[in-house]
Amino acid sequence: MARVSLRLMHLVLVITLFSVSHAENNSSSQGQTLLRIQQLLNLPAVLSRSNNYTDFCNIEPSLSLTVICYEEKITQLHIIGENTAPLLPRNFSMDSFVTTLVKLPSLKVLTLVSLGLWGPLPGKISRLSALEILNVTSNFLYGVIPQELSSLSSLQTLILDENMFSGPLQDWLSSLSVLAVFSAKKNLLNASLPNSLSGLESLRVLGLSHNHFFGEVPDLSGLTNLQVLELEDNAFGPQFPKLGKKLVTLVLSNNKFRSGIPAEVSSYYQLERLDISFNMFVGPFPPSLLSLPSITYLNVSRNKFTGMLFENLSCNTELQSVDLSSNLLSGSLPTCLLSDSKDRVVRYARNCLATGNQNQHPLPFCRNEALAVGIIPDRRKQKKASKAVLALGIIGGVFRRENASTGYASKLLSDARYISQTMKLGALGLPNYRTFSLDELEEATNNFDTSTFMGEGSHGQMYRGQLKDGSFVAIICLKMKTSHSTQNFMHHIDLILKLRHRHLVSALGHCFECYLDDSSVSRIFLVFEYVPNGTLRSWISEGHPRRSLTWTQRISAAIGIANGIQFLHTGIIPGVYSNKLKITDILLDQNLVAKICCYNLSLLEENIEQFSAGGSTSFHVGPRMKHDDGTDVHDFGVILLEMIKGRSIKSKTQVEVLKDQLQVAIATDDVARRSMVDPRVKQTCLDQSLKTMMEICVRCLREVPADRPSFDDVLWNLQYAAQVQDAWQQGESLSSEGSPVSPSKPPRLTF
Ligand SMILES: *[C@@H]1O[C@H](CO)[C@@H](O)[C@H](O)[C@H]1NC(C)=O
Ligand SMILES: *[C@@H]1O[C@H](CO)[C@@H](O)[C@H](O)[C@H]1NC(C)=O
Ligand SMILES: *[C@@H]1O[C@H](CO)[C@@H](O)[C@H](O)[C@H]1NC(C)=O
Ligand SMILES: *[C@@H]1O[C@H](CO)[C@@H](O)[C@H](O)[C@H]1NC(C)=O
Ligand SMILES: *[C@@H]1O[C@H](CO)[C@@H](O)[C@H](O)[C@H]1NC(C)=O
Ligand SMILES: *[C@@H]1O[C@H](CO)[C@@H](O)[C@H](O)[C@H]1NC(C)=O
Ligand SMILES: *[C@@H]1O[C@H](CO)[C@@H](O)[C@H](O)[C@H]1NC(C)=O
Ligand SMILES: *[C@@H]1O[C@H](CO)[C@@H](O)[C@H](O)[C@H]1NC(C)=O
Ligand SMILES: *[C@@H]1O[C@H](CO)[C@@H](O)[C@H](O)[C@H]1NC(C)=O
Ligand SMILES: *[C@@H]1O[C@H](CO)[C@@H](O)[C@H](O)[C@H]1NC(C)=O
Ligand SMILES: *[C@@H]1O[C@H](CO)[C@@H](O)[C@H](O)[C@H]1NC(C)=O
């Protein structure tokens, strides 16, 4: 076998024009082809009259160029440029280049790396029908991978890494029956994988990392030879792929996997490298991964794995690198990982482990997060139970009062409107609180498109989004001005996830966006239910286009608001006070149920810098009454006033004036009272009901906070007003039976 090496330093192909002319015909033709290649690749030729031209099969191989001949024919050509090869000039034609290449029909191995080749890969390259290995790594080839490659029946290795190929992998790939290595890392391939991949029975290595692939990985469990599967940095998911047991390397990091790890992974006895980091894998971390018989590298960081680790777990002594960081693991780090092996890397930061060496979250963090992604079923049950207890307590209160008052208890209880807010506490019909991924929110808002923008407050922007399940959400985006870890915000999240009530615009979840360098929080997204039917004002005050609420609906709305505020005060710990509520902060849903938005979340406070700079906690967990400065009752009074008057109230003075007028009317007669009320409901409200509403309104607006009623008191009066109104309306319709209802005023209503 003759060999010639052409020394190629800095892309200088040493071959002479004249050399080929002295060669016998076949060599001559190949030499000319090589020369043409040199020209097309724009490699500065060093023309030499040396005699080595006849014999290019004999030149010493180098890093840059190797020509290998078999029986005078070139069977291998390796040309390797510099890593930073620029694009070939504009007049370069990939088509002419390949046309030239195929004049070396005996080529079995072709390597064209870092040459600046650009253009689509011409299908005619398949005329190199003997080709077994094709490696075109690191060029600028684009377009789809040509189907003509499917006729290369001897092709065993196809390496297309670091180009700009796009489009899908097509079914024809499976006709490459001896293909053992297929790698197209770092391209722009964008599609889901064809199921026909599972027909590539010879496949040993499949490398598709750093593309734009998406969707489920097809069932590859039939690829019994598959040893290396690298899918890093795509959008594969959500299910863990089905694979054969002979895997040696499995890299799934940075995708969109959201499932648990299937049990069979623990039987991958040849698995040496497992990297599933940076996904949303959930469920218990299987400790058996640590003791897989061949494992040397294990990276499960940045997922949502839960579960306890124990000191007595065993691990493979060959483990070189273990990364468990940023999960929700608790318990203790296995001692086998802590042993002083000098080469071993063990990372476990940002879990809730008892081992103190690396930055750990407090245990509640992992519990809350686990709860948020809904992966601790028994905890979720616990939570429901506690809500039920709360609901029972409140229902208990309602029973007692109604029973003590007018004997309408049974009717009230049968009337869902009065008790629904308590009954429904435990079953709001809302999805479980959870963490959202940024991807999900971007998708929901079309990348925070301006058309989804709802408004901007002192605290941040609000967007309307539509989730995959079709439901609408409101998303508040808070930009952090100082750098803090997610941990610093967890006490806020702890509070927010409790803010779920029929009369609150309830929190559905959150999403932290972190900076890559130090993982401090850059933005927090709070996801709330979307309440579609406008503000209470738009349903009350004249001059607004909507049909106005009836008197009964107004009382219902008032009861709802009072219930919501009472929940903020006493339904959660610590209570949320000083909500500065205005009528425009009350929204109505499609059933005209009133919901409070814009309650006092300290996370939303303007000076977000101040509190977060303060670090640990900004909640005061002192005696509750201390917080209740009565401002919420006063603000509620103003809302009630507007509901009675049916007119926008714009100033403090106006409130004072109207309050005084109400006070006079209450003490005068029903005509006076009726003159105060919104003309649109004048005809339909019972005086007793109206009077009760006016009275409670005036009391809420009292100057001295201590003189204002409690929300218990407010609620009781509102329910009384609803009840007499209801009874009267029923009496109206039943008046032919001649038993008008005239409920007596209960003794508790005193001034
Ligand atoms: C050399 O081969 C080419 C075809 O590759 C042919 O056209 C030419 O006539 C041959 N020359 C000689 C001297 O055999
Ligand atoms: C040239 O190549 C042809 C076919 O490839 C072959 O038949 C012929 O014997 C070769 N000639 C020489 C002188 O090697
Ligand atoms: C031809 O190649 C041989 C080695 O293959 C080398 O020693 C010799 O110097 C070369 N001759 C010329 C004139 O470059
Ligand atoms: C490309 O253009 C350069 C000059 O700009 C010229 O030297 C070269 O021959 C051209 N190559 C082709 C393949 O036309
Ligand atoms: C393809 O070329 C690249 C760059 O030289 C090299 O790192 C890689 O090992 C080659 N692949 C094969 C299968 O030869
Ligand atoms: C893939 O990318 C190409 C080129 O950018 C584009 O035309 C095509 O629509 C993309 N396909 C998918 C499924 O995203
Ligand atoms: C584990 O994976 C993460 C994210 O993919 C990476 O940042 C980290 O360096 C890896 N850990 C080790 C020990 O290689
Ligand atoms: C390991 O420790 C845990 C708790 O400390 C215990 O429940 C378990 O039985 C132990 N397992 C073995 C194999 O010793
Ligand atoms: C009120 O409740 C008590 C028990 O708590 C019961 O004995 C009584 O009958 C109830 N009264 C009415 C009017 O329902
Ligand atoms: C608002 O409420 C009304 C009456 O219940 C209803 O007909 C309407 O569909 C709701 N939605 C919007 C967006 O107005
Ligand atoms: C929110 O509540 C805190 C105390 O709970 C209070 O200090 C703060 O002033 C309130 N925010 C507003 C806007 O009133």
Side-chain angles (χ1 to χ4, degrees):
M1 190 207 306
R3 265 174 137 206
V4 175
S5 160
L6 302 177
R7 188 160 288 277
L8 185 92
M9 294 303 289
H10 302 280
L11 297 183
V12 176
L13 180 61
V14 188
I15 184 169
T16 72
L17 250 177
F18 300 97
S19 60
V20 287
S21 62
H22 297 276
E24 47 89 8
N25 192 356
N26 288 349
S27 289
S28 153
S29 145
Q30 294 183 63
Q32 279 185 1
T33 299
L34 280 183
L35 181 62
R36 183 76 185 131
I37 288 171
Q38 167 222 301
Q39 289 170 335
L40 288 171
L41 295 181
N42 206 28
L43 309 175
V46 174
L47 296 175
S48 156
R49 294 224 167 235
S50 71
N51 273 335
N52 287 332
Y53 47 72
T54 53
D55 211 12
F56 53 81
C57 287
N58 260 340
I59 292 180
E60 190 78 5
S62 75
L63 276 179
S64 316
L65 182 122
T66 306
V67 177
I68 295 178
C69 304
Y70 178 71
E71 292 178 348
E72 306 291 307
K73 286 174 224 144
I74 299 179
T75 55
Q76 296 196 24
L77 176 62
H78 304 262
I79 309 177
I80 300 176
E82 288 183 330
N83 252 341
T84 53
L87 275 172
L88 286 169
R90 285 187 77 86
N91 62 3
F92 170 77
S93 158
M94 192 63 195
D95 195 68
S96 335
F97 178 65
V98 170
T99 306
T100 307
L101 267 180
V102 298
K103 289 183 181 153
L104 301 174
S106 307
L107 272 181
K108 288 179 190 294
V109 180
L110 177 58
T111 303
L112 301 165
V113 170
S114 300
L115 296 175
L117 300 178
W118 62 271
L121 180 62
K124 74 177 84 158
I125 197 163
S126 63
R127 290 184 203 159
L128 295 172
S129 57
L131 214 52
E132 292 171 9
I133 298 178
L134 175 60
N135 188 349
V136 294
T137 296
S138 187
N139 284 290
F140 303 90
L141 301 176
Y142 56 73
V144 295
I145 305 168
Q147 173 159 10
E148 287 87 339
L149 292 182
S150 64
S151 66
L152 294 174
S153 56
S154 305
L155 196 63
Q156 294 168 14
T157 297
L158 179 56
I159 312 282
L160 308 174
D161 296 350
E162 297 174 49
N163 278 283
M164 303 188 300
F165 287 109
S166 61
L169 290 188
Q170 284 164 340
D171 287 337
W172 58 257
L173 203 59
S174 60
S175 58
L176 296 173
S177 58
V178 295
L179 192 66
V181 177
F182 179 69
S183 185
K185 298 178 196 170
K186 297 196 182 167
N187 276 280
L188 305 170
L189 295 167
N190 58 338
S192 52
L193 292 184
N195 287 327
S196 53
L197 269 190
S198 52
L200 280 170
E201 283 171 13
S202 308
L203 206 60
R204 278 190 298 104
V205 176
L206 181 57
L208 300 176
S209 298
H210 307 288
N211 276 287
H212 304 307
F213 286 111
F214 52 82
E216 297 289 6
V217 179
D219 184 345
L220 303 180
S221 55
L223 301 187
T224 49
N225 295 305
L226 193 63
Q227 296 184 341
V228 176
L229 180 60
E230 293 178 318
L231 302 180
E232 179 180 0
D233 187 18
N234 280 286
F236 286 118
Q239 293 300 319
F240 197 99
K242 291 194 175 64
L243 305 166
K245 287 191 177 176
K246 287 200 191 154
L247 277 174
V248 175
T249 295
L250 178 55
V251 180
L252 303 179
S253 56
N254 195 2
N255 273 285
K256 293 183 187 288
F257 292 106
R258 290 164 185 274
S259 67
I261 297 193
E264 62 259 31
V265 176
S266 301
S267 64
Y268 292 172
Y269 61 100
Q270 297 191 349
L271 196 59
E272 291 172 11
R273 184 182 182 87
L274 178 61
D275 185 351
I276 57 173
S277 60
F278 203 177
N279 278 287
M280 275 280 279
F281 280 113
V282 296
F285 168 74
S288 54
L289 296 182
L290 293 169
S291 55
L292 283 172
S294 309
I295 195 89
T296 60
Y297 178 98
L298 175 65
N299 193 342
V300 302
S301 70
R302 300 185 69 177
N303 281 292
K304 300 272 180 191
F305 284 118
T306 49
M308 294 269 279
L309 298 182
F310 296 106
E311 288 181 352
N312 59 7
L313 292 173
S314 55
C315 14
N316 187 322
T317 51
E318 298 300 311
L319 263 176
Q320 289 305 305
S321 185
V322 179
D323 197 336
L324 308 173
S325 51
S326 295
N327 276 288
L328 306 173
L329 300 171
S330 55
S332 309
L333 199 70
T335 36
C336 60
L337 289 179
L338 289 171
S339 65
D340 291 334
S341 167
K342 45 191 177 302
D343 305 325
R344 182 182 287 174
V345 178
V346 177
R347 295 193 198 144
Y348 54 92
R350 295 177 299 281
N351 279 284
C352 301
L353 293 167
T355 318
N357 295 355
Q358 293 180 19
N359 178 22
Q360 296 294 312
H361 295 296
L363 197 53
F365 172 87
C366 291
R367 293 215 178 118
N368 284 332
E369 283 288 289
L371 192 66
V373 290
I375 50 187
I376 306 186
D378 50 349
R379 289 229 152 250
R380 226 162 43 197
K381 264 186 231 146
Q382 249 178 4
K383 179 125 180 125
K384 269 192 187 139
S386 71
K387 275 185 177 172
V389 168
L390 181 60
L392 273 179
I394 294 175
I395 292 172
V398 175
F399 266 110
R400 185 165 42 75
R401 297 237 172 74
E402 302 314 333
N403 172 305
S405 62
T406 56
Y408 278 87
S410 60
K411 185 197 168 299
L412 270 172
L413 287 176
S414 69
D415 187 338
R417 197 178 51 215
Y418 300 125
I419 54 168
S420 58
Q421 66 272 14
T422 50
M423 294 291 277
K424 288 192 178 166
L425 248 176
L428 277 175
L430 288 175
N432 287 321
Y433 189 95
R434 64 183 174 104
T435 49
F436 285 80
S437 72
L438 187 55
D439 284 337
E440 204 175 354
L441 298 185
E442 282 172 351
E443 208 178 315
T445 56
N446 195 10
N447 274 318
F448 297 99
D449 190 81
T450 45
S451 65
T452 65
F453 183 72
M454 289 165 72
E456 180 155 19
S458 47
H459 40 68
Q461 297 86 30
M462 192 186 275
Y463 296 85
R464 189 176 91 138
Q466 186 170 23
L467 300 181
K468 272 222 176 85
D469 67 5
S471 62
F472 286 99
V473 290
I475 302 167
I476 295 178
C477 163
L478 306 166
K479 196 154 179 50
M480 298 296 115
K481 292 170 189 153
T482 49
S483 82
H484 282 280
S485 69
T486 53
Q487 199 183 333
N488 289 47
F489 294 104
M490 279 324 288
H491 59 279
H492 292 287
I493 299 300
D494 282 349
L495 178 72
I496 288 168
L497 67 80
K498 289 187 227 154
L499 290 167
R500 293 159 70 85
H501 184 272
R502 180 168 148 83
H503 294 291
L504 296 184
V505 175
S506 299
L508 302 179
H510 69 272
C511 165
F512 287 123
E513 180 195 55
C514 297
Y515 291 110
L516 281 181
D517 47 357
D518 63 352
S519 38
S520 66
V521 177
S522 55
R523 288 189 292 180
I524 300 179
F525 298 89
L526 298 176
V527 182
F528 290 90
E529 61 177 322
Y530 178 72
V531 182
N533 239 340
T535 68
L536 180 59
R537 172 171 280 170
S538 72
W539 284 89
I540 292 283
S541 294
E542 53 193 22
H544 284 276
R546 296 184 199 268
R547 121 187 115 74
S548 90
L549 295 184
T550 65
W551 182 247
T552 310
Q553 285 171 329
R554 290 180 199 210
I555 303 174
S556 285
I559 291 173
I561 301 164
N563 263 309
I565 299 176
Q566 195 182 41
F567 177 79
L568 287 172
H569 287 188
T570 61
I572 49 176
I573 297 173
V576 177
Y577 295 90
S578 304
N579 292 287
K580 301 215 161 72
L581 294 178
K582 299 183 295 293
I583 193 166
T584 47
D585 295 330
I586 313 300
L587 304 179
L588 295 185
D589 75 3
Q590 62 277 14
N591 301 315
L592 300 183
V593 171
K595 289 176 183 274
I596 302 171
C597 76
C598 315
Y599 32 85
N600 178 9
L601 283 185
S602 47
L603 186 55
L604 297 186
E605 271 177 30
E606 242 170 302
N607 47 354
I608 202 146
E609 273 166 306
Q610 270 187 14
F611 86 77
S612 54
S616 57
T617 172
S618 65
F619 287 110
H620 323 278
V621 193
R624 269 196 224 155
M625 288 315 293
K626 241 182 160 177
H627 293 290
D628 194 0
D629 53 5
T631 60
D632 281 343
V633 179
H634 183 273
D635 296 339
F636 177 77
V638 177
I639 294 172
L640 210 52
L641 189 58
E642 185 159 334
M643 289 167 77
I644 293 169
K645 287 299 297 174
R647 239 175 42 206
S648 298
I649 295 171
K650 302 259 161 66
S651 70
K652 256 187 125 109
T653 341
Q654 213 179 346
V655 172
E656 288 308 305
V657 170
L658 289 170
K659 182 184 84 176
D660 290 345
Q661 289 176 2
L662 279 194
Q663 195 121 40
V664 173
I666 290 167
T668 316
D669 57 11
D670 60 337
V671 178
R673 289 191 281 271
R674 233 164 255 278
S675 72
M676 289 298 298
V677 78
D678 183 349
R680 288 167 298 180
V681 298
K682 200 164 159 178
Q683 301 308 322
T684 52
C685 69
L686 177 71
D687 181 53
Q688 179 106 49
S689 172
L690 175 59
K691 188 176 176 196
T692 308
M693 291 284 276
M694 285 179 163
E695 281 166 350
I696 196 66
C697 176
V698 167
R699 287 173 64 211
C700 287
L701 294 173
R702 280 183 181 161
E703 204 98 11
V704 182
D707 293 345
R708 296 171 192 158
S710 69
F711 269 99
D712 276 350
D713 198 352
V714 168
L715 266 170
W716 185 79
N717 279 281
L718 292 174
Q719 275 160 355
Y720 174 74
Q723 180 194 326
V724 292
Q725 175 75 22
D726 221 53
W728 177 69
Q729 274 170 353
Q730 295 225 339
E732 287 270 274
S733 60
L734 296 175
S735 57
S736 57
E737 290 169 30
S739 60
V741 183
S742 55
S744 62
K745 196 162 150 189
R748 197 166 173 281
L749 191 63
T750 53
F751 289 83

